Amino acid sequence: MQDAPIARIEHGDDPYRWLENRDTEEVLDYLKAENAFLDAQMAPQAELRERLFQEIKGRIRETDLSLPSPWGPWLYYRRTTAGDEYPRHYRCPRPADGSLTLDEQAEQLLLDPNELAGGGFLSIGTLSISQDHARLAYSLDTEGDEIYRLFVKELASGEVTELPFEQCDGSMTWANDHQTLFFGELDDTHRPHRILRHRLGEAGASEVYHDPDGRYFVSCYRSSSERQLVILSHSKTTSEAWVLPADAPTAAPVCLAPRQEDHEYFPDHGVWNGEPCWFIRTNQDGINYALYRASEGQPTREHWQPLVPHDPQVTLEDASLNRDALILSLRENGLPVIEVRPAQADRYRLALPDAAYSLHVSDTLEFDSPTIRVRYEALNRPAQIRQLELASGAQQVLKETPVEGPFDPDAYVSERLWATAPDGTRVPISLVARRETLGQPAPLYLYGYGAYGHSLDPWFSHGRLSLLDRGFVFAIAHVRGGGDLGEAWYRAGKLAHKRNTFTDFIACAEHLITEGYTRPERLAISGGSAGGLLIGAVLNMRPELFGAAIADVPFVDTLNTMLNPDLPLTVTEYDEWGDPNDPQVHARIRGYAPYENVTAQAYPPILAVAGYNDSRVQYWEAAKWVARLRATRTDDNLLLLKTELGAGHGGMSGRYQALKDAALEYAFLLKVFAMAD
């Protein structure tokens, strides 16, 4: 069997810093050696990996059609075809009867990503139709580094023009003249720092807005009413918005409220009592947000009027606007709630069948539509697109993601459990398993994230069925640092409170063991990006509690990254982790950073995955972490590093490659748990 690669050690505080020397022969040879070692170690599972891949693929409807979206005179939709990595984008004339029936004889191919990818990496940043439906603006990343090239396609002739701009963030927003595009530019640290305006046929672009503060990301979007453009500059804690009419793209933007530290607000434009007006979601009254409105002619902060008051028990996560209703996306008791406030009827909340689920407004359709669409799914229920009649509240399932082959959702049990953290806080756990699996200790896959206020609402997975049907339990730890129980839950797991994220996760693991769902040697843990930091931290703290770990693009070299302001995104992260140039913050991050805290102890089997072109979490974070683990640990458990040399933060881009990645992960777990199949 091939020996594991041994990384050379440099003298100094960071013995593996040389792995940061990107594109050098030494570094590439080391990463390729790690990939070869993984291939050699997993070679006995080659047949199993292929079987898992075919099994997962067999549950997915490879040739399928998305639910058409009506807009103006057209229906827009996507087709997936067996064998193709990417869906193709189409449109056809909209039927006069208001149905969603496609006229395939008259359909028009808008974009074929399979042709554009040429077998390599491809990510579409934006795909946007002009308001007159004559042009398609789209942006492409072909490296995985999230730097995009911009294109405009004339839909009548098929002529494609590449716009002559570099360092673009991929965003493209049309003005109502069908000629002017607003797009974002990246600075040297990969931060979207300014918005530029370009008129088709003219040379160059003019600056509309620039934010020199390294903490802020700048973006541009159209309002729900299609009448206004919004430029938003947003840090992790503060925002500032500038607006201008979509009909007047050269007008000077107006600031709605000058930035004030810790004031976050998000404007949209719609209709109230038949009059056009602004709606502003703001935390000026409290951390759970309130909703204000302002007239179109007087949108600045001194004219804001309260519409939905702050509620200390319920978080207002979003507000969707429609001509006939206001749709509130709320979070209450750890679950998403949609409340509809029709213009001509009483307010109501959507009734749903499961105890734990994911729910969000997926498509408000046209602003004047009497309906909206929501996406609903649960751990044991495939995603559904439901149409909601705003006036009556009637729901209709328009499309459910198919599961090919034998599948009965009632064969799986979904539960919501509560663990108790060391400080007495109750931490929710979402769990799914086959009915016959529960009642005795089983192999269990525990997933976590816990950062940026991101909520891990339960989701369905075709691939996960391959684990559940082999006797696994799957669970999600809704730890602090995420937004699962609202803004206060997020704040209790960031900055000086970050350690709560790790102790919450450990408490969830202990609860699952104590309650008989699993045993330590059968407990696999997994997380990606900031969730990889979580995995690295808890492995250092309690390695004996876990039987295996998977860390995907893990943010494990936390301290060194946060000390380097020249790296992409570092300065913007100070509001999440703290600025380690402050000695007190330095000591705090140093106390939990996974890379620095690797010690001479036994660790469970670990699979780490990195993307060489990743601009968010550099490839060397996983590489340095694995190198230090190899040199320091006291065990000889399987330790694997896979670096995708042609991909970025999201891994390889094609849908089949994603299934192969899942097959590798599952084969790794079956191998280390000594489960033959």
Side-chain angles (χ1 to χ4, degrees), residues 102-336:
L102 300 182
D103 182 355
E104 297 185 14
Q105 299 301 314
E107 76 177 6
Q108 180 181 9
L109 175 63
L110 302 177
L111 199 70
D112 183 359
N114 300 283
E115 179 181 336
L116 298 173
F121 181 93
L122 184 75
S123 175
I124 298 177
T126 294
L127 196 145
S128 178
I129 301 289
S130 60
Q131 299 306 105
D132 63 355
H133 302 268
R135 297 179 179 89
L136 169 67
Y138 62 95
S139 56
L140 302 177
D141 168 16
T142 55
E143 301 292 336
D145 56 6
E146 299 182 64
I147 299 174
Y148 291 83
R149 296 157 59 200
L150 310 183
F151 301 85
V152 173
K153 181 178 181 179
E154 298 288 340
L155 296 179
S157 66
E159 179 184 358
V160 175
T161 301
E162 180 172 0
L163 303 186
F165 307 114
E166 300 178 347
Q167 294 298 116
C168 299
D169 69 355
S171 64
M172 301 177 77
T173 304
W174 287 104
N176 283 350
D177 64 357
H178 327 306
Q179 298 286 331
T180 303
L181 280 164
F182 292 75
F183 63 95
E185 181 187 67
L186 302 168
D187 66 10
D188 291 340
T189 65
H190 214 87
R191 176 181 70 95
H193 71 126
R194 66 173 180 161
I195 298 297
L196 298 171
R197 178 179 57 229
H198 170 71
R199 183 174 173 84
L200 300 182
E202 297 182 358
S206 57
E207 180 179 290
V208 181
Y209 179 83
H210 173 244
D211 198 323
D213 191 325
R215 297 184 304 150
Y216 287 78
F217 278 32
V218 181
S219 61
C220 179
Y221 61 91
R222 294 178 63 86
S223 68
S224 295
S225 67
E226 308 287 354
R227 294 179 51 162
Q228 298 284 336
L229 302 177
V230 180
I231 297 170
L232 183 71
S233 194
H234 188 208
S235 76
K236 296 287 192 297
T237 62
T238 306
S239 66
E240 180 179 77
W242 297 71
V243 302
L244 68 155
D247 289 336
T250 60
V254 174
C255 182
L256 295 191
R259 69 186 60 179
Q260 177 182 329
E261 196 64 31
D262 295 325
H263 179 215
E264 293 181 89
Y265 70 96
F266 305 94
D268 197 0
H269 184 268
V271 173
W272 182 257
N273 291 331
E275 295 295 327
C277 68
W278 287 97
F279 293 78
I280 305 101
R281 187 172 67 94
T282 169
N283 67 355
Q284 67 179 18
D285 299 335
I287 63 173
N288 283 345
Y289 288 86
L291 191 68
Y292 281 70
R293 63 181 175 89
S295 68
E296 185 176 67
Q298 295 182 310
T300 52
R301 189 175 184 180
E302 62 269 23
H303 301 293
W304 296 0
Q305 300 174 6
L307 185 62
V308 179
H310 176 265
D311 187 331
Q313 305 302 320
V314 180
T315 301
L316 173 59
E317 293 192 323
D318 200 4
S320 303
L321 306 182
N322 180 277
R323 181 197 63 190
D324 299 323
L326 173 64
I327 303 99
L328 305 180
S329 295
L330 310 173
R331 184 162 296 273
E332 186 173 18
N333 297 322
L335 292 172

